[in-house]
Coordinates of all heavy atoms in Angstrom, one line a residue:
Q22 N 47.7 127.7 114.7 CA 48.0 127.2 116.1 C 49.0 126.1 116.1 O 49.0 125.3 115.2 CB 46.7 126.7 116.8 CG 45.7 127.7 117.1 CD 44.6 127.1 117.9 OE1 44.7 126.0 118.4 NE2 43.6 127.9 118.1
P23 N 49.9 126.1 117.1 CA 50.9 125.0 117.2 C 50.1 123.7 117.5 O 49.0 123.7 118.0 CB 51.8 125.4 118.3 CG 51.0 126.4 119.1 CD 50.1 127.0 118.2
P24 N 50.7 122.5 117.2 CA 50.1 121.3 117.4 C 50.1 120.8 118.9 O 49.9 119.7 119.2 CB 50.9 120.3 116.6 CG 52.2 120.9 116.6 CD 52.0 122.4 116.6
F25 N 50.3 121.7 119.8 CA 50.4 121.4 121.2 C 50.1 122.6 122.0 O 50.2 123.7 121.5 CB 51.7 120.8 121.5 CG 52.8 121.4 120.7 CD1 53.3 122.6 121.0 CD2 53.3 120.7 119.6 CE1 54.3 123.2 120.2 CE2 54.3 121.3 118.8 CZ 54.8 122.5 119.1
S26 N 49.9 122.4 123.3 CA 49.7 123.5 124.2 C 51.0 123.7 125.0 O 51.8 122.8 125.0 CB 48.5 123.3 125.1 OG 48.7 122.1 125.8
Y27 N 51.2 124.9 125.5 CA 52.5 125.2 126.2 C 52.3 125.4 127.7 O 51.3 125.8 128.1 CB 53.1 126.5 125.6 CG 53.6 126.4 124.2 CD1 52.9 126.9 123.2 CD2 54.8 125.8 124.0 CE1 53.3 126.8 121.9 CE2 55.3 125.8 122.7 CZ 54.6 126.3 121.7 OH 55.1 126.2 120.4
T28 N 53.3 125.1 128.4 CA 53.5 125.5 129.8 C 54.9 126.0 129.9 O 55.8 125.4 129.5 CB 53.2 124.4 130.8 OG1 53.3 124.9 132.1 CG2 54.0 123.2 130.6
A29 N 55.1 127.2 130.5 CA 56.4 127.8 130.6 C 57.3 127.1 131.7 O 56.7 126.9 132.8 CB 56.3 129.3 130.8
S30 N 58.5 126.9 131.4 CA 59.4 126.4 132.5 C 60.0 127.7 133.2 O 60.5 128.6 132.5 CB 60.6 125.6 131.8 OG 61.7 125.5 132.7
P31 N 59.9 127.8 134.5 CA 60.4 129.0 135.1 C 61.9 129.2 135.0 O 62.4 130.3 135.1 CB 60.0 128.8 136.6 CG 59.8 127.3 136.7 CD 59.4 126.8 135.4
S32 N 62.7 128.1 134.8 CA 64.1 128.2 134.8 C 64.7 128.7 133.4 O 65.6 129.5 133.4 CB 64.8 126.9 135.1 OG 64.4 125.9 134.2
K33 N 64.2 128.2 132.3 CA 64.8 128.6 131.0 C 63.8 129.2 130.0 O 64.1 129.4 128.9 CB 65.4 127.3 130.4 CG 66.6 126.8 131.2 CD 67.2 125.7 130.4 CE 68.4 125.2 131.2 NZ 69.1 124.1 130.5
D34 N 62.6 129.5 130.5 CA 61.5 130.0 129.6 C 61.3 129.1 128.4 O 60.9 129.5 127.3 CB 61.8 131.4 129.2 CG 60.6 132.1 128.5 OD1 59.5 131.8 128.9 OD2 60.8 132.9 127.6
A35 N 61.6 127.8 128.6 CA 61.3 126.8 127.6 C 59.8 126.4 127.6 O 59.2 126.5 128.7 CB 62.2 125.6 127.7
C36 N 59.3 126.0 126.5 CA 57.9 125.6 126.5 C 57.8 124.1 126.2 O 58.5 123.6 125.4 CB 57.1 126.3 125.5 SG 57.1 128.1 125.8
F37 N 57.0 123.4 126.9 CA 56.9 121.9 126.8 C 55.6 121.5 126.4 O 54.6 122.1 126.7 CB 57.3 121.3 128.1 CG 58.7 121.5 128.6 CD1 59.0 122.5 129.5 CD2 59.7 120.9 128.0 CE1 60.2 122.8 129.9 CE2 61.0 121.1 128.4 CZ 61.3 122.1 129.3
F38 N 55.5 120.5 125.6 CA 54.3 119.8 125.1 C 53.5 119.3 126.3 O 54.0 118.7 127.2 CB 54.7 118.7 124.2 CG 53.5 117.9 123.7 CD1 52.8 118.3 122.7 CD2 53.3 116.6 124.2 CE1 51.7 117.6 122.2 CE2 52.3 115.9 123.8 CZ 51.5 116.4 122.7
V39 N 52.2 119.7 126.4 CA 51.4 119.2 127.5 C 50.5 118.1 126.9 O 50.5 117.0 127.4 CB 50.6 120.3 128.1 CG1 49.7 119.8 129.2 CG2 51.6 121.3 128.7
Q40 N 49.6 118.4 126.0 CA 48.8 117.5 125.4 C 48.3 118.0 124.1 O 48.2 119.2 123.9 CB 47.6 117.1 126.3 CG 46.7 118.3 126.6 CD 45.6 118.0 127.6 OE1 45.6 116.9 128.1 NE2 44.8 118.9 127.9
P41 N 47.9 117.2 123.1 CA 47.4 117.7 121.9 C 46.1 118.4 122.1 O 45.3 118.0 122.9 CB 47.2 116.4 121.0 CG 47.3 115.3 121.9 CD 48.0 115.7 123.2
M42 N 45.9 119.5 121.4 CA 44.7 120.2 121.5 C 43.6 119.6 120.6 O 44.0 118.8 119.7 CB 44.9 121.7 121.2 CG 45.8 122.3 122.1 SD 46.1 124.1 121.9 CE 46.6 124.2 120.2
G43 N 42.4 119.8 120.8 CA 41.3 119.1 120.1 C 41.4 119.2 118.6 O 41.3 118.2 117.9
S44 N 41.7 120.4 118.1 CA 41.7 120.5 116.6 C 43.0 121.2 116.3 O 43.1 122.5 116.3 CB 40.5 121.3 116.2 OG 40.6 121.6 114.8
T45 N 44.1 120.5 116.1 CA 45.4 121.1 115.9 C 45.7 121.4 114.5 O 45.0 120.9 113.6 CB 46.5 120.2 116.5 OG1 46.6 119.0 115.6 CG2 46.2 119.8 117.9
S46 N 46.7 122.1 114.2 CA 47.1 122.4 112.8 C 47.6 121.1 112.1 O 47.3 120.9 111.0 CB 48.2 123.4 112.8 OG 49.3 123.1 113.5
L47 N 48.2 120.2 112.9 CA 48.5 118.9 112.3 C 47.3 118.1 111.9 O 47.2 117.5 110.8 CB 49.4 118.1 113.2 CG 50.8 118.6 113.4 CD1 51.6 117.7 114.5 CD2 51.6 118.7 112.2
D48 N 46.3 118.1 112.8 CA 45.1 117.4 112.5 C 44.4 118.0 111.3 O 43.9 117.3 110.4 CB 44.1 117.5 113.7 CG 44.5 116.7 114.9 OD1 45.2 115.6 114.7 OD2 44.2 117.1 116.0
K49 N 44.3 119.3 111.2 CA 43.7 120.0 110.1 C 44.3 119.7 108.8 O 43.7 119.7 107.8 CB 43.7 121.5 110.3 CG 42.7 121.9 111.5 CD 42.9 123.4 111.7 CE 42.0 123.9 112.9 NZ 42.2 125.3 113.1
K50 N 45.6 119.4 108.8 CA 46.3 119.1 107.6 C 46.4 117.6 107.3 O 47.1 117.2 106.3 CB 47.7 119.7 107.6 CG 47.7 121.2 107.7 CD 49.0 121.8 107.8 CE 48.8 123.3 108.1 NZ 49.6 124.2 107.4
G51 N 45.8 116.8 108.1 CA 45.8 115.3 107.9 C 47.1 114.7 108.2 O 47.4 113.6 107.7
I52 N 47.9 115.3 109.1 CA 49.2 114.7 109.4 C 49.0 114.0 110.8 O 48.6 114.6 111.8 CB 50.3 115.8 109.6 CG1 50.4 116.5 108.2 CG2 51.6 115.2 110.1 CD1 51.3 117.7 108.2
S53 N 49.3 112.7 110.8 CA 49.2 112.0 112.0 C 50.4 112.1 112.9 O 51.5 112.2 112.4 CB 48.8 110.5 111.7 OG 49.8 109.9 111.0
Y54 N 50.2 112.0 114.2 CA 51.3 112.1 115.1 C 51.0 111.3 116.3 O 49.8 110.9 116.6 CB 51.6 113.6 115.5 CG 50.4 114.2 116.1 CD1 50.2 114.3 117.5 CD2 49.4 114.8 115.3 CE1 49.1 114.9 118.0 CE2 48.3 115.4 115.8 CZ 48.1 115.5 117.2 OH 47.0 116.1 117.7
V55 N 52.0 111.0 117.1 CA 51.8 110.2 118.3 C 51.9 111.2 119.5 O 52.9 111.8 119.7 CB 52.9 109.1 118.5 CG1 52.7 108.4 119.8 CG2 52.9 108.2 117.3
P56 N 50.8 111.5 120.1 CA 50.8 112.4 121.2 C 51.7 112.0 122.4 O 52.0 110.8 122.5 CB 49.3 112.5 121.7 CG 48.5 111.7 120.8 CD 49.5 110.9 120.0
S57 N 52.1 113.0 123.1 CA 53.1 112.7 124.2 C 52.8 113.6 125.3 O 52.2 114.7 125.1 CB 54.5 112.9 123.7 OG 55.4 112.8 124.7
E58 N 53.2 113.3 126.5 CA 53.1 114.2 127.6 C 54.6 114.6 128.1 O 54.8 114.8 129.2 CB 52.3 113.6 128.8 CG 50.9 113.5 128.4 CD 49.9 113.2 129.5 OE1 50.3 113.5 130.7 OE2 48.8 112.7 129.2
S59 N 55.5 114.5 127.1 CA 56.9 114.9 127.4 C 57.2 116.1 126.5 O 56.4 116.7 125.9 CB 57.8 113.7 127.2 OG 57.8 113.4 125.8
N60 N 58.5 116.3 126.3 CA 59.0 117.5 125.5 C 59.2 117.1 124.1 O 60.0 117.7 123.4 CB 60.2 118.1 126.2 CG 61.4 117.2 126.1 OD1 61.3 116.0 126.0 ND2 62.6 117.8 126.2
K61 N 58.6 116.0 123.6 CA 58.8 115.6 122.2 C 57.5 114.9 121.8 O 56.7 114.5 122.6 CB 60.0 114.7 122.1 CG 59.8 113.4 122.9 CD 61.1 112.6 123.0 CE 61.0 111.5 124.0 NZ 60.7 111.8 125.3
F62 N 57.4 114.7 120.4 CA 56.3 113.9 119.9 C 56.8 113.4 118.6 O 57.8 113.8 118.0 CB 55.0 114.8 119.7 CG 55.1 116.0 118.9 CD1 54.7 116.0 117.5 CD2 55.7 117.2 119.4 CE1 54.8 117.1 116.8 CE2 55.8 118.3 118.6 CZ 55.3 118.3 117.3
M63 N 56.1 112.3 118.1 CA 56.5 111.7 116.9 C 55.5 112.0 115.8 O 54.3 112.0 116.0 CB 56.5 110.1 117.1 CG 57.5 109.6 118.1 SD 59.2 109.9 117.7 CE 59.4 108.8 116.4
V64 N 56.0 112.3 114.6 CA 55.1 112.7 113.5 C 55.3 111.7 112.4 O 56.5 111.3 112.0 CB 55.5 114.1 112.9 CG1 54.6 114.4 111.7 CG2 55.4 115.1 114.0
D65 N 54.2 111.1 111.8 CA 54.3 110.2 110.7 C 54.3 111.0 109.4 O 53.3 111.6 109.0 CB 53.1 109.3 110.7 CG 53.2 108.2 109.6 OD1 54.2 108.2 108.8 OD2 52.3 107.3 109.5
V66 N 55.5 111.1 108.8 CA 55.7 111.9 107.6 C 55.3 111.2 106.3 O 55.4 111.8 105.2 CB 57.1 112.5 107.5 CG1 57.3 113.5 108.7 CG2 58.1 111.5 107.6
K67 N 54.9 109.9 106.4 CA 54.4 109.1 105.2 C 55.5 109.0 104.1 O 55.1 108.7 103.0 CB 53.2 109.7 104.6 CG 52.1 110.0 105.6 CD 51.4 108.7 106.0 CE 50.1 109.0 106.8 NZ 49.9 108.1 107.9
R68 N 56.7 109.1 104.5 CA 57.8 108.9 103.5 C 59.1 108.6 104.4 O 59.0 108.8 105.6 CB 58.0 110.1 102.6 CG 58.4 111.4 103.2 CD 58.4 112.5 102.2 NE 59.3 113.6 102.5 CZ 59.0 114.8 102.3 NH1 57.8 115.2 101.7 NH2 59.8 115.8 102.6
P69 N 60.2 108.2 103.8 CA 61.3 108.0 104.7 C 61.7 109.2 105.6 O 61.9 110.3 105.1 CB 62.5 107.7 103.7 CG 61.7 107.1 102.5 CD 60.5 107.9 102.4
G70 N 61.7 108.9 106.9 CA 61.9 110.0 107.8 C 63.3 110.7 107.6 O 63.4 111.9 107.8
A71 N 64.3 110.0 107.1 CA 65.6 110.6 106.9 C 65.5 111.7 105.8 O 66.2 112.7 105.9 CB 66.6 109.5 106.4
E72 N 64.6 111.5 104.8 CA 64.4 112.6 103.8 C 63.9 113.9 104.5 O 64.3 115.0 104.1 CB 63.4 112.1 102.8 CG 63.9 111.0 101.9 CD 62.8 110.6 100.9 OE1 61.7 111.2 100.8 OE2 63.1 109.6 100.1
V73 N 63.0 113.7 105.4 CA 62.4 114.9 106.0 C 63.4 115.5 107.0 O 63.5 116.8 107.0 CB 61.1 114.5 106.8 CG1 60.5 115.7 107.6 CG2 60.0 114.0 105.8
I74 N 64.2 114.7 107.7 CA 65.2 115.3 108.5 C 66.2 116.1 107.7 O 66.6 117.2 108.1 CB 65.9 114.1 109.3 CG1 65.0 113.5 110.3 CG2 67.2 114.6 109.9 CD1 65.5 112.3 111.0
K75 N 66.6 115.6 106.6 CA 67.5 116.3 105.7 C 66.9 117.6 105.2 O 67.6 118.7 105.1 CB 68.0 115.4 104.5 CG 69.0 116.0 103.6 CD 69.5 115.0 102.6 CE 70.5 115.6 101.7 NZ 70.9 114.7 100.6
A76 N 65.7 117.5 104.7 CA 65.0 118.7 104.2 C 64.8 119.8 105.3 O 64.9 121.0 105.0 CB 63.6 118.3 103.6
M77 N 64.5 119.3 106.5 CA 64.3 120.3 107.6 C 65.7 120.9 107.9 O 65.7 122.1 108.2 CB 63.7 119.6 108.8 CG 62.3 119.2 108.6 SD 61.1 120.5 108.5 CE 61.0 121.0 110.3
A78 N 66.7 120.2 107.9 CA 68.1 120.7 108.2 C 68.4 121.8 107.1 O 69.1 122.8 107.5 CB 69.1 119.6 108.2
A79 N 68.0 121.6 105.9 CA 68.2 122.6 104.8 C 67.5 123.9 105.2 O 67.9 125.0 104.7 CB 67.8 122.1 103.5
E80 N 66.5 123.8 106.0 CA 65.7 125.0 106.4 C 66.2 125.5 107.8 O 65.6 126.3 108.4 CB 64.2 124.6 106.6 CG 63.6 124.2 105.3 CD 63.5 125.3 104.2 OE1 63.3 126.5 104.6 OE2 63.8 125.1 103.1
K81 N 67.3 124.9 108.2 CA 68.0 125.3 109.5 C 67.1 124.9 110.7 O 67.2 125.5 111.8 CB 68.3 126.7 109.6 CG 69.1 127.2 108.4 CD 70.6 127.3 108.7 CE 71.4 128.0 107.7 NZ 71.8 127.2 106.6
I82 N 66.3 123.8 110.6 CA 65.5 123.2 111.6 C 66.0 121.8 111.8 O 66.0 121.0 110.9 CB 64.0 123.3 111.3 CG1 63.5 124.7 111.1 CG2 63.2 122.6 112.5 CD1 63.6 125.6 112.2
F83 N 66.5 121.5 113.0 CA 67.1 120.2 113.3 C 66.2 119.4 114.2 O 65.9 119.8 115.3 CB 68.5 120.4 113.9 CG 69.4 121.1 112.9 CD1 69.5 122.5 113.1 CD2 70.0 120.5 111.9 CE1 70.3 123.2 112.2 CE2 70.8 121.2 111.0 CZ 70.9 122.6 111.2
I84 N 65.7 118.3 113.6 CA 64.8 117.4 114.4 C 65.4 116.1 114.6 O 66.5 115.8 114.1 CB 63.4 117.2 113.6 CG1 63.6 116.6 112.2 CG2 62.7 118.6 113.5 CD1 62.3 116.3 111.5
G85 N 64.8 115.2 115.4 CA 65.3 114.0 115.9 C 65.5 112.9 114.8 O 65.1 113.1 113.7
R86 N 65.9 111.8 115.3 CA 66.2 110.7 114.4 C 65.0 109.8 114.1 O 63.9 110.0 114.6 CB 67.3 109.8 115.1 CG 66.8 109.2 116.4 CD 67.9 108.5 117.2 NE 67.4 108.0 118.4 CZ 67.0 106.7 118.6 NH1 67.0 105.9 117.6 NH2 66.7 106.3 119.8
V87 N 65.3 108.8 113.3 CA 64.3 107.8 112.9 C 64.6 106.5 113.5 O 65.8 106.1 113.6 CB 64.3 107.7 111.3 CG1 63.4 106.6 110.9 CG2 64.0 109.0 110.7
W88 N 63.6 105.8 114.0 CA 63.9 104.4 114.5 C 63.6 103.4 113.4 O 62.6 103.6 112.6 CB 62.9 104.2 115.7 CG 63.4 104.8 117.0 CD1 64.1 104.2 117.9 CD2 63.2 106.1 117.4 NE1 64.3 105.0 119.0 CE2 63.8 106.2 118.7 CE3 62.5 107.2 116.9 CZ2 63.8 107.4 119.4 CZ3 62.5 108.4 117.6 CH2 63.1 108.5 118.8
P89 N 64.3 102.3 113.4 CA 64.1 101.3 112.3 C 62.7 100.7 112.4 O 62.1 100.4 111.3 CB 65.1 100.2 112.7 CG 66.2 100.9 113.4 CD 65.5 102.0 114.2
S90 N 62.1 100.6 113.5 CA 60.7 100.1 113.6 C 59.7 101.1 113.2 O 58.5 100.8 112.9 CB 60.4 99.6 115.1 OG 60.6 100.7 116.0
W91 N 60.0 102.4 113.1 CA 59.1 103.5 112.6 C 59.8 104.3 111.6 O 60.2 105.5 111.8 CB 58.8 104.4 113.8 CG 57.7 103.9 114.7 CD1 57.2 102.7 114.8 CD2 57.1 104.6 115.8 NE1 56.3 102.6 115.8 CE2 56.2 103.8 116.4 CE3 57.3 105.9 116.3 CZ2 55.4 104.2 117.5 CZ3 56.5 106.3 117.3 CH2 55.6 105.5 117.9
P92 N 60.1 103.7 110.4 CA 60.9 104.4 109.4 C 60.2 105.7 108.8 O 60.9 106.5 108.2 CB 61.1 103.4 108.3 CG 59.9 102.5 108.5 CD 59.6 102.4 109.9
T93 N 58.9 105.9 109.0 CA 58.3 107.1 108.4 C 57.9 108.1 109.5 O 57.2 109.0 109.3 CB 57.0 106.7 107.6 OG1 56.1 106.1 108.5 CG2 57.3 105.8 106.5
H94 N 58.4 107.9 110.7 CA 58.1 108.8 111.8 C 59.4 109.6 112.2 O 60.5 109.0 112.1 CB 57.7 108.1 113.1 CG 56.3 107.6 113.0 ND1 55.9 106.5 112.2 CD2 55.2 108.0 113.7 CE1 54.6 106.3 112.4 NE2 54.1 107.2 113.3
V95 N 59.3 110.8 112.5 CA 60.4 111.6 113.0 C 60.0 112.2 114.4 O 58.9 112.4 114.7 CB 60.7 112.8 112.0 CG1 61.2 112.3 110.7 CG2 59.5 113.8 111.9
R96 N 61.1 112.3 115.2 CA 60.9 112.8 116.5 C 61.1 114.3 116.5 O 62.1 114.8 116.0 CB 61.9 112.2 117.5 CG 61.9 112.8 118.8 CD 63.0 112.2 119.7 NE 63.2 113.2 120.8 CZ 64.0 112.9 121.8 NH1 64.6 111.8 121.9 NH2 64.1 113.8 122.8
V97 N 60.2 115.0 117.1 CA 60.2 116.5 117.2 C 60.3 116.8 118.7 O 59.4 116.5 119.4 CB 59.0 117.2 116.6 CG1 59.1 118.7 116.7 CG2 58.9 116.8 115.1
S98 N 61.4 117.4 119.1 CA 61.6 118.0 120.4 C 61.0 119.4 120.4 O 61.2 120.2 119.5 CB 63.1 118.0 120.8 OG 63.6 116.7 120.9
V99 N 60.3 119.6 121.5 CA 59.6 120.9 121.6 C 60.5 122.0 122.2 O 61.2 121.7 123.2 CB 58.3 120.7 122.4 CG1 57.6 122.1 122.6 CG2 57.4 119.7 121.8
G100 N 60.5 123.1 121.6 CA 61.3 124.2 122.1 C 60.5 125.4 122.6 O 59.3 125.2 123.0
T101 N 61.0 126.6 122.5 CA 60.3 127.8 122.9 C 59.2 128.0 121.8 O 59.2 127.5 120.7 CB 61.2 129.0 122.9 OG1 61.7 129.2 121.6 CG2 62.4 128.7 123.9
K102 N 58.3 129.0 122.1 CA 57.3 129.3 121.2 C 57.9 129.8 119.9 O 57.4 129.5 118.8 CB 56.3 130.4 121.8 CG 55.4 129.8 122.9 CD 54.5 130.9 123.4 CE 53.6 130.3 124.5 NZ 52.7 131.3 125.0
E103 N 58.9 130.6 120.0 CA 59.6 131.1 118.8 C 60.2 130.0 118.0 O 60.1 130.0 116.7 CB 60.6 132.2 119.2 CG 60.1 133.4 119.8 CD 59.7 133.3 121.3 OE1 60.2 132.3 122.0 OE2 58.9 134.1 121.8
E104 N 60.9 129.1 118.6 CA 61.5 128.0 117.9 C 60.4 127.1 117.2 O 60.5 126.7 116.1 CB 62.3 127.1 118.9 CG 63.5 127.8 119.3 CD 64.2 127.1 120.5 OE1 63.5 126.3 121.3 OE2 65.4 127.3 120.7
M105 N 59.3 126.9 117.9 CA 58.2 126.1 117.3 C 57.5 126.8 116.2 O 57.0 126.2 115.3 CB 57.2 125.6 118.4 CG 57.9 124.7 119.5 SD 58.9 123.4 118.8 CE 57.7 122.4 118.0
A106 N 57.4 128.1 116.2 CA 56.9 128.9 115.1 C 57.8 128.6 113.9 O 57.3 128.4 112.8 CB 56.8 130.3 115.4
K107 N 59.1 128.7 114.1 CA 60.0 128.4 112.9 C 59.9 127.0 112.5 O 59.9 126.7 111.3 CB 61.5 128.7 113.4 CG 61.7 130.1 113.6 CD 63.2 130.4 114.1 CE 63.4 131.8 114.4 NZ 64.8 132.0 115.0
F108 N 59.7 126.0 113.4 CA 59.5 124.6 113.0 C 58.2 124.5 112.2 O 58.2 123.9 111.1 CB 59.3 123.7 114.3 CG 58.7 122.4 113.9 CD1 59.5 121.4 113.4 CD2 57.4 122.2 114.1 CE1 58.9 120.2 113.1 CE2 56.8 120.9 113.8 CZ 57.6 119.9 113.3
K109 N 57.2 125.1 112.6 CA 55.9 125.0 111.9 C 56.0 125.5 110.5 O 55.5 124.9 109.5 CB 54.8 125.8 112.7 CG 53.4 125.7 112.1 CD 52.4 126.5 113.0 CE 51.1 126.5 112.3 NZ 50.1 127.3 113.1
T110 N 56.7 126.7 110.3 CA 56.9 127.2 108.9 C 57.7 126.3 108.1 O 57.3 126.0 106.9 CB 57.5 128.6 109.0 OG1 56.7 129.5 109.8 CG2 57.8 129.2 107.7
A111 N 58.8 125.8 108.6 CA 59.7 124.9 107.8 C 59.0 123.6 107.5 O 59.1 123.1 106.4 CB 61.0 124.7 108.6
F112 N 58.3 123.0 108.5 CA 57.6 121.8 108.3 C 56.5 121.9 107.2 O 56.4 121.0 106.4 CB 57.0 121.3 109.6 CG 56.4 119.9 109.6 CD1 57.3 118.8 109.6 CD2 55.1 119.6 109.6 CE1 56.8 117.5 109.6 CE2 54.6 118.4 109.6 CZ 55.5 117.3 109.6
A113 N 55.8 123.0 107.2 CA 54.7 123.2 106.2 C 55.4 123.2 104.8 O 54.9 122.7 103.8 CB 54.0 124.5 106.5
K114 N 56.5 123.9 104.7 CA 57.2 124.0 103.4 C 57.7 122.6 103.0 O 57.5 122.2 101.8 CB 58.4 124.9 103.5 CG 59.2 125.1 102.3 CD 60.3 126.1 102.4 CE 61.1 126.2 101.2 NZ 62.3 127.2 101.3
V115 N 58.4 121.9 103.9 CA 59.0 120.6 103.6 C 57.9 119.6 103.2 O 58.0 118.7 102.3 CB 59.8 120.1 104.8 CG1 60.2 118.6 104.6 CG2 61.1 120.9 104.9
M116 N 56.8 119.6 104.0 CA 55.7 118.7 103.7 C 54.7 119.1 102.7 O 53.8 118.4 102.3 CB 54.9 118.4 105.1 CG 55.8 117.8 106.1 SD 56.5 116.1 105.7 CE 55.0 115.2 105.6
S117 N 54.9 120.3 102.2 CA 54.0 120.9 101.1 C 52.6 120.9 101.6 O 51.7 120.5 100.9 CB 54.1 120.2 99.8 OG 55.5 120.2 99.3
V118 N 52.4 121.4 102.8 CA 51.0 121.5 103.4 C 50.7 122.9 103.8 O 51.5 123.7 104.1 CB 50.8 120.5 104.6 CG1 50.8 119.1 104.1 CG2 51.7 120.8 105.7

């Protein structure tokens, strides 16, 4: 299961993060994240975020930047169900989970 629930946008068929579900795939893998009620969430990758961004880009998945105050967190913008399925696969590979 994805780490969030979806609601479809009538204009672009985009899916947006609503709230974390009780037992998410991130929770099951022990990956902490900052829940959000917007179209993004922050994931604590427990290593320099820039490394994860680069590794995800090598998998053709492009995620957001790192903030100096949160050097081990990466921003993930939520896309369509298909895009998020690709994110989930690449993230599991990069994080070795």
Side-chain angles (χ1 to χ4, degrees):
Q22 289 189 11
F25 32 78
S26 56
Y27 290 102
T28 181
S30 164
S32 61
K33 294 187 178 181
D34 193 31
C36 298
F37 298 99
F38 177 76
V39 176
Q40 62 185 4
M42 297 185 304
S44 178
T45 69
S46 58
L47 291 176
D48 291 327
K49 289 177 184 176
K50 294 176 188 222
I52 298 170
S53 62
Y54 57 95
V55 179
S57 172
E58 292 194 21
S59 68
N60 67 337
K61 64 189 169 302
F62 58 100
M63 301 294 292
V64 180
D65 184 358
V66 293
K67 307 283 189 222
R68 63 188 206 220
E72 291 177 5
V73 175
I74 290 170
K75 184 176 180 180
M77 292 292 285
E80 298 295 319
K81 307 261 189 275
I82 302 295
F83 301 95
I84 60 175
R86 64 187 176 94
V87 175
W88 280 265
S90 59
W91 281 8
T93 64
H94 285 72
V95 296
R96 175 186 158 169
V97 177
S98 295
V99 178
T101 65
K102 288 183 182 182
E103 293 79 20
E104 290 167 337
M105 295 313 294
K107 291 177 184 178
F108 164 81
K109 184 178 174 182
T110 299
F112 190 74
K114 180 178 178 183
V115 167
M116 298 298 293
S117 301
V118 293

